[in-house]
Amino acid sequence: IGIWLILMDNKAFTLIELLVTVSIIVLITALTLPNYRLGDNQLAIQRSAHKISQDLRRAQEFAISVKEFNGSIPGGYGIYFDLDQPDEYIMFADLDDSQTYSGSYEKAEEVVLEGNVTLNSLSPVTSGSSLTVFFTPPDPTTQFFPDAATATITIKVGGASPLLKSVQV
């Protein structure tokens, strides 16, 4: 009993106890860190898809309200996607009644996708690798260039095995 009491009075950690504790902490960190990165990418792609959807709705609202742009009333509003510039898209006001993005003088806003999220594919797509979603007031009528009944914008994040998310219009 005397030896037992002497051992119980010692309140310090042994080297083995300390190594086991540190090993457990390192193991838990090593297991959660890759999952944290995956979760971060999933959130980034979800936020980007939501942002694209919001901007499509905003362009539609601008067309409904016949929002003035640079002192004139445009023929509608749209969003221009281009695979040659995969990390951004352009919201534009149609000033020349072409119903497509004609240049920087029509640019209402340039939206840069979050982090390493990029455009992966567009459907339908022109030979120039672009897609325009256009809203004509007052209804607004939705038109796609190239002409189609619907459009799909697919975005991706990641390298070797990317996460993909599609926005249907």
Side-chain angles (χ1 to χ4, degrees):
I1 290 184
I3 295 175
W4 180 258
L5 289 177
I6 291 173
L7 289 175
M8 293 301 289
D9 268 347
N10 189 356
K11 296 186 183 201
F13 290 108
T14 65
L15 182 60
I16 293 174
E17 290 172 332
L18 192 58
L19 287 174
V20 167
T21 304
V22 169
S23 299
I24 291 172
I25 291 171
V26 167
L27 181 65
I28 290 172
T29 302
L31 292 173
T32 58
L33 195 58
N35 289 334
Y36 173 77
R37 201 46 105 177
L38 178 63
D40 192 35
N41 284 343
Q42 286 175 339
L43 286 173
I45 200 165
Q46 287 176 352
R47 282 191 302 263
S48 295
H50 185 68
K51 175 72 173 146
I52 290 170
S53 297
Q54 282 182 321
D55 285 342
L56 286 163
R57 183 66 62 203
R58 194 160 51 117
Q60 188 179 38
E61 286 177 20
F62 287 172
I64 289 171
S65 65
V66 192
K67 182 173 172 53
E68 187 176 299
F69 180 76
N70 289 343
S72 62
I73 304 295
Y77 281 85
I79 297 187
Y80 174 74
F81 299 94
D82 190 350
L83 292 175
D84 292 335
Q85 297 177 338
D87 60 341
E88 65 185 41
Y89 57 91
I90 296 170
M91 182 182 293
F92 68 95
D94 184 30
L95 299 176
D96 62 2
D97 292 327
S98 66
Q99 300 181 338
T100 58
Y101 179 63
S102 300
S104 61
Y105 68 95
E106 291 186 330
K107 186 186 299 184
E109 185 178 342
E110 184 174 311
V111 181
V112 177
L113 294 169
E114 177 180 336
N116 58 350
V117 177
T118 58
L119 295 172
N120 184 59
S121 64
L122 304 169
S123 175
V125 67
T126 64
S127 58
S129 71
S130 66
L131 167 68
T132 300
V133 180
F134 186 73
F135 302 99
T136 307
D139 298 337
T141 305
T142 305
Q143 298 170 341
F144 304 104
F145 298 98
D147 192 26
T150 62
T152 304
I153 299 112
T154 304
I155 55 176
K156 72 175 180 176
V157 65
S161 56
L163 295 172
L164 299 174
K165 185 136 182 97
S166 295
V167 177
Q168 300 269 329
V169 186

